[in-house]
Amino acid sequence: MRITVFATGKLTEPCFYDGVQMYAKRLLVWTSVECVEFPEQRGDTSSDAARALLISKESQKVLAAIPSGAYTILLDPSGKMLSSEEFSAFLEKCEIEGPYHLAFVLGGPYGVSLDLRSKMQRVISFSPMTFPHQMARLMLYEQLYRAFSIIRGVSYHK
């Protein structure tokens, strides 16, 4: 199974960068996680219309990069919350039955466009709270590691 993370924004804080690298290395025992980063769009954010334009530009770049055939999953506070066990069951089913390429999408600080959201096959949430996108990326990598630990019966998740 292939996992690709499409993330808007770079990991600039050492604690998030180091954490993501640690979990990516741990995941190599079971799978590899590729990350495709997109720069945050800079510009006027003083109005809803101006922010919508920046969000649209970011979202278009992400949509253009997702390969056809990948199962797309948006991480968003408004998505369906899953327990770690439910998330691991989903990943295990994908490992066995497919889809064999998962594309996780993390938006930038202002989120994603409605167009991008409408093209996602699944929307999940870690919490109804909003987290910085750098922290959300670290949380995704940790949850991927936790899920594979559950699947493989490794005691990490206890």
Side-chain angles (χ1 to χ4, degrees):
M1 180 168 60
R2 289 181 55 201
I3 298 174
T4 308
V5 175
F6 293 89
T8 300
K10 293 198 175 290
L11 293 173
T12 57
E13 297 295 325
C15 61
F16 298 128
Y17 178 83
D18 293 345
V20 165
Q21 294 305 309
M22 177 188 71
Y23 285 113
K25 185 176 179 182
R26 287 182 182 184
L27 279 161
L28 285 173
V29 174
W30 302 305
T31 189
S32 64
V33 180
E34 175 189 7
C35 186
V36 179
E37 287 184 339
F38 300 90
E40 289 178 37
Q41 292 293 306
R42 302 287 182 205
D44 179 22
T45 59
S46 62
S47 69
D48 289 344
R51 281 189 300 277
L53 182 61
L54 295 179
I55 291 167
S56 177
K57 288 179 182 178
E58 288 174 351
S59 295
Q60 287 172 10
K61 289 180 181 179
V62 172
L63 279 171
I66 297 173
S68 65
Y71 186 86
T72 54
I73 305 161
L74 175 65
L75 275 71
D76 188 85
S78 68
K80 180 179 181 187
M81 287 193 289
L82 303 173
S83 69
S84 294
E85 289 76 14
E86 290 169 325
F87 186 57
S88 69
F90 166 71
L91 289 178
E92 185 173 34
K93 184 177 182 201
C94 291
E95 262 192 320
I96 296 166
E97 301 173 12
Y100 300 110
H101 187 186
L102 302 179
F104 289 91
V105 176
L106 291 153
Y110 299 109
V112 299
S113 70
L114 292 176
D115 182 47
L116 185 147
R117 176 185 297 279
S118 71
K119 292 183 173 132
M120 297 292 104
Q121 291 164 287
R122 191 165 193 175
V123 181
I124 63 173
S125 172
F126 290 138
S127 168
M129 295 177 166
T130 301
F131 295 101
H133 57 283
Q134 291 186 56
M135 185 178 294
R137 191 182 325 181
L138 175 57
M139 291 168 67
L140 172 60
Y141 276 74
E142 191 280 335
Q143 284 298 301
L144 287 167
Y145 181 75
R146 181 175 300 274
F148 279 101
S149 295
I150 292 168
I151 293 166
R152 302 298 192 264
V154 175
S155 64
Y156 170 79
H157 74 283
K158 304 243 184 243

